[in-house]
Amino acid sequence: MARSAAGPPTSDADGHRHSVALGVLTESRESARFKAMESTWLTQFDSVMVFESHTESVSRVQQIWKYVPQRLYERFPGAHFFLIIDDDVFIHHKLLLDFVHHRDPQALVLYGPGFCDWGVKADLKSQISAALGMPMPEYIHVV
């Protein structure tokens, strides 16, 4: 469902330009959850890549998630920001652009949900770093 190779920049409410590439993990493009996304807000994003698991197996889904960041970056190397979500998430396009409006796209940061405990457990951070094959950012912002 990728709409463009680099993703044209979009403008936020103040006219600043940002490019946000979106990776969506779903069991299937035919699932009710994915269809709901597609028929509502997903089309507001120009750079979308869909990853289908075709299973409810947690281990299979985890294996797919492992490669999402790399594949998303390879597909949209010009994007300023990357957003990876499951198919049960609602994203308000304008509020997302308002959020990234004041962020430096050159800064090496990872934004994520608080329940993941990002940045708190050194062992978890080390495992993520090893899986990605790169050091984790010094500062990880939890939102």
Side-chain angles (χ1 to χ4, degrees), residues 99 110-120 139-143:
F99 177 78
L110 175 65
Y111 301 99
F115 67 82
C116 287
D117 210 14
W118 294 109
V120 177
Y139 298 102
I140 298 178
H141 301 277
V142 177
V143 294

Side-chain angles (χ1 to χ4, degrees), residues 25 51-67:
L25 183 62
F51 300 86
E52 295 177 275
S53 65
H54 297 289
T55 182
E56 292 183 12
S57 164
V58 173
S59 61
R60 172 74 176 127
V61 171
Q62 287 175 339
Q63 186 67 18
I64 292 169
W65 269 100
K66 180 178 176 179
Y67 297 101

Side-chain angles (χ1 to χ4, degrees), residues 10-73:
T10 54
S11 295
D12 66 11
D14 295 319
H16 292 83
R17 300 181 68 73
H18 301 288
S19 178
V20 178
L22 183 65
V24 179
L25 183 62
T26 184
E27 184 176 341
S28 167
R29 290 176 192 254
E30 301 303 316
S31 71
R33 288 172 19 171
F34 183 78
K35 292 260 186 216
M37 291 173 70
E38 195 172 42
S39 68
T40 55
W41 62 268
L42 191 60
T43 58
Q44 296 175 2
F45 289 87
D46 295 316
S47 303
V48 178
M49 193 168 186
V50 178
F51 300 86
E52 295 177 275
S53 65
H54 297 289
T55 182
E56 292 183 12
S57 164
V58 173
S59 61
R60 172 74 176 127
V61 171
Q62 287 175 339
Q63 186 67 18
I64 292 169
W65 269 100
K66 180 178 176 179
Y67 297 101
V68 169
Q70 176 185 351
R71 299 219 19 235
L72 197 57
Y73 180 76

